[in-house]
Each structure stands twice: as C-alpha cells, then as structure tokens.
DNA sequence: GAAATTACTTTCCTTTTGGAAACTACCAAC
DNA sequence: GTTGGTAGTTTCCAAAAGGAAAGTAATTTC
C-alpha cells in the first residue's frame, strides 16, 4: 500500500497551509515588513521620509514595494496639492490588522538574538 | 538643515527593525513555515513523510531547508538504527516558540482570503 | 541660471532562489 | 536479479529579487 499525506491532508491543515502561502505571497521580500512597521509608527510619511527612515532601501525597491502594498490595500498613496507636489503614504485600516503579526515577528527576532548571545 | 530619520532612529525602533531582519533571515524562503508547521502537527516525521505532506516541495529544497533549520536549532535530525536506515525529524523546544508567529501568519492569511472574497 | 528638493522610473547588472531530473547508496522482498 | 523503499546529493537551468547609478520632470530657493 502506497503511503500518502495524512497530516496536511486534513481540511484544517490544508486551510492553514494555504493561509501561510497567501500571507507570504503578499508579505514576502526584504522590505515589506520594514515599510509597514515604519508606517505604523509614523502614520503618514512622504516618499523621502520613508527613504530616510528605512536604512538601506533604495528608490527602486521603495517605489515598487509601495505599489505592491497599495495594490493589496495595505497602504494608501495620496498626492497632495502642494508645491512642489508631495505624496503621503499611510497604512490602511486593513493594513493595521498586520500589527500583531509584525509585533510577533519582531519579538521573536529580538528573543532569538538574545538566545544566541546567551548560548554564545 | 538636512532631514534625517526620526522614527526608526529611536533605540526601540532600531531594535524592533533588527528583530524583523533577524527573524526573516532565518525564516525566509518558500518552504520554512510549511516545514515547521507540519512538524508541529506531526511531531516526528521521516524525510519521505515530509516530502509527501508538503505539497509541491522537491527533495533538493526539503533537504536544504531542513539543514538550515537544523543549523539554527529549530529542528533536530536523528538517524534511527533501523534497516533500512530511517531518519526522523522533530521540532525542537526552541522551534516550538515559533508557534504563535506561525499561527498569526496562518490566521492573517485565512482572514485575507475571506476579505478578498467578500469584496469580490 | 544653478542648485536643491520632491518623487519617481529606467537600465543594467549580479545574486539568490527554486525546480526538474538524474544519480548514489544501502537494504529488503520476491 | 529486478523492483521498490529509505535518504538524500548533484547538476543544470530559468526566473525572481535586488541594488547602483543615471535619467525625468516639476518647482523653489539663492
């Protein structure tokens, strides 16, 4: 008799695994959590503000990631009627639902660093 | 006066951002959460078991990701004295600390899918 | 009119990631 | 001795991700 999947074949696990895949498809990449985390702290920030806040990011990646996040309704982009024009980015209400996840991630990372230091 | 980072320059934010980077450096990639999630359900599983449980993964990626996870003390690999030899993989106690994060991720992904369906 | 600021986009390049298929190696069953 | 199961490794390749630098375009300041 040929063996097949048993654990992940249960409906509950299948849904959970798909949830993981779905979440990762929106949030993967080097910068998304940093951008979202910064916008959660800063509420509304301009493009150059974000560029300055997020250490190491370049204009191309920032622009591309913001577009991705906007498409997925996690961030809003508003062109202000100023001279010179400015653009403000904010996190959406829906984007704010990521707050527990981002906090968990940051917390785990901080604890991990501690645990490595303790073990040496 | 030249502007510089204000939000992420605060010590608390710097630590948080580093936490995010640290966590992501261990957990990035297409398969790690799936492997860890499966091992949390299945407790101890052989290589072929994991290959069967995790839909879509191939031997190369499974092998490589398991090595990564083992190196970071999230998974243990034990060669059993059976004939033919079998290998069992389990999640470590430390690996289990990822449970809240994985649950958050899965939960958010499930909710996201729901919200997309509702909006159409 | 030259420099600086806002907000990007484009191009070119390197690195990383991931997958398919084939191969190794050991052992058991038939 | 051939098939089938264990547990991988290796090779070869394609696609995705990411970065540096230059370019675009509008306006304001000096």
């Amino acid at each position: 008799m040929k063996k097949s999947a048993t654990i992940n074949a249960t409906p509950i696990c299948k849904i959970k695994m798909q949830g993981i895949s779905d979440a990762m498809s929106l949030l993967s990449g080097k910068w998304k959590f940093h951008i979202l985390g910064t916008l959660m702290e800063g509420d509304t920030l301009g493009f150059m503000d974000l560029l300055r806040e997020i250490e190491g990011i370049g204009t191309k990646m920032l622009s591309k990631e913001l577009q991705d996040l906007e498409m997925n309704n996690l961030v809003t982009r508003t062109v202000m009627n100023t001279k010179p024009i400015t653009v403000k980015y904010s996190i959406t209400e829906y984007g704010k639902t990521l707050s527990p996840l981002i906090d968990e991630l940051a917390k785990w990372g901080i604890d991990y660093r501690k645990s490595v230091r303790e073990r040496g």
Side-chain angles (χ1 to χ4, degrees), chain A:
Chain A
M1 179 190 139
K2 208 169 183 179
K3 285 178 201 169
S4 56
T6 54
I7 301 157
N8 290 349
T10 69
I12 291 168
C13 280
K14 269 193 170 171
I15 286 172
K16 209 171 158 183
M17 289 296 160
Q18 187 165 63
I20 291 172
S21 295
D22 284 351
M24 289 206 320
S25 78
L26 299 194
L27 303 170
S28 66
K30 196 173 170 183
W31 299 112
K32 296 214 182 67
F33 284 117
H34 290 95
I35 295 172
L36 291 166
T38 304
L39 284 173
M40 280 178 192
E41 295 293 323
D43 206 37
T44 79
L45 294 168
F47 187 84
M48 292 308 285
D49 294 329
L50 285 164
L51 204 58
R52 277 185 290 261
E53 293 292 341
I54 301 165
E55 211 183 305
I57 201 170
T59 56
K60 195 190 81 172
M61 289 310 293
L62 180 56
S63 168
K64 190 217 145 215
E65 298 293 64
L66 284 169
Q67 281 171 29
D68 284 2
L69 295 171
E70 199 196 351
M71 262 199 302
N72 290 317
N73 195 32
L74 300 173
V75 156
T76 53
R77 177 182 185 273
T78 316
V79 179
M80 304 301 282
N81 193 14
T82 54
K83 289 181 180 181
I85 63 152
T86 49
V87 177
K88 65 169 200 186
Y89 291 94
S90 325
I91 196 153
T92 62
E93 284 308 307
Y94 194 73
K96 284 178 189 168
T97 64
L98 279 166
S99 178
L101 177 54
I102 293 177
D103 287 349
E104 260 316 316
L105 186 70
K107 202 185 87 191
W108 193 87
I110 291 165
D111 287 352
Y112 177 80
R113 181 167 283 251
K114 257 186 236 160
S115 83
V116 169
R117 217 174 37 230
E118 274 161 25
R119 281 181 277 148

